Amino acid sequence: MKWSVSLLGAGLVLAVLRDLFHTLWHPTRHGGLSRLVMTALWRLSRRVRPPWRVAGLVGPLAMVTVVVMWAATVVLGWAIIYWPHMPGAFRFAPGSEAAQAPSALDSVYLSLVTVATLGLGDIAPAEGWLRLVSPLEALVGFALLTAAVSWVLEIYPALSRRRALAVRLALLREADPTPGQLDNTAGALLLDGLAGEVVRVRVDFTQYAEAYYFHDGEDRASFAAMAGFAGALAERGQGARRPEVRLAGELLTAALRDLAAVLDQRFLHTGGAPAEVFAAYAADHDRGRAAREQTASDRPDL
């Protein structure tokens, strides 16, 4: 019976490690628990419909929630490993009050101290296998901290690339280049550069799916709001006379089509054409609503 309980705790720890692996180090696969938590929080925000400034916190709060969930599950899992063997398989420091506490509380306390790499020493494993297992928890705690930092360092560059592309598209929309202005070598280079940036965004959505659950703020920095204009530029390029411009327009169209397929397969599930997918993407990120609330907040009181 003792070993059955300990194996249950080991299963919880392995589930967290698997989720860490598929979320951070094997990004082409979906994370399990982390993806479920982030999707649930996103859908909850869509139902509650908070102000768009509050909705912008969904992504960061979801990441914090996932990291806390990982840490709590690791602590609980190792506490369950220790619990059936407490107190007989452990040594207690002389004068320590831990020996009088319930064994479940001692197990959680020892797990917390170990995973945080504090090593206070008032409770120490006495049996040989526990002396080997306990340091492993400290290693997992260190790996968990490293993973959380790595996750942040991976997600935010992807968000920066997406927002930079959105700002570039916003500037182009303000300039509103005509088909004639695009029908030259500079136009071909422009469309080709946009195609490359769209491909990078597509790769980011594939490798860091959690980036979808981050709002981009104002419409000028929101790719959800600007993706439709990228399609319009691609159509203008395809209608040009110069073959290099037509080729660049076709490349941009293909890149947008590929990106729409990824968005639809992983997040939106519309089954529609790229234009419909990008419209659903903009609606899912409340772009029109954000613009209306921003306008209302900037309007002076009468």
Side-chain angles (χ1 to χ4, degrees), residues 2 79 81-92 98-99 101-111 123-124 130:
K2 288 184 177 181
I81 293 174
Y82 298 143
W83 177 43
H85 311 280
M86 186 73 68
F90 294 86
R91 291 194 301 266
F92 295 83
S103 58
L105 181 61
D106 282 342
S107 300
V108 174
Y109 166 74
L110 176 60
S111 183
I123 304 178
L130 283 170

Side-chain angles (χ1 to χ4, degrees), residues 61-136:
L61 288 176
M63 288 188 71
V64 171
T65 302
V66 170
V67 172
V68 170
M69 178 198 69
W70 284 338
T73 307
V74 166
V75 170
L76 177 62
W78 238 280
I80 293 174
I81 293 174
Y82 298 143
W83 177 43
H85 311 280
M86 186 73 68
F90 294 86
R91 291 194 301 266
F92 295 83
S96 172
E97 296 183 0
Q100 286 98 38
S103 58
L105 181 61
D106 282 342
S107 300
V108 174
Y109 166 74
L110 176 60
S111 183
L112 277 170
V113 169
T114 306
V115 81
T117 66
L118 294 177
L120 298 181
D122 51 346
I123 304 178
E127 292 190 3
W129 72 273
L130 283 170
R131 295 173 66 186
L132 294 176
V133 168
S134 184
L136 288 178

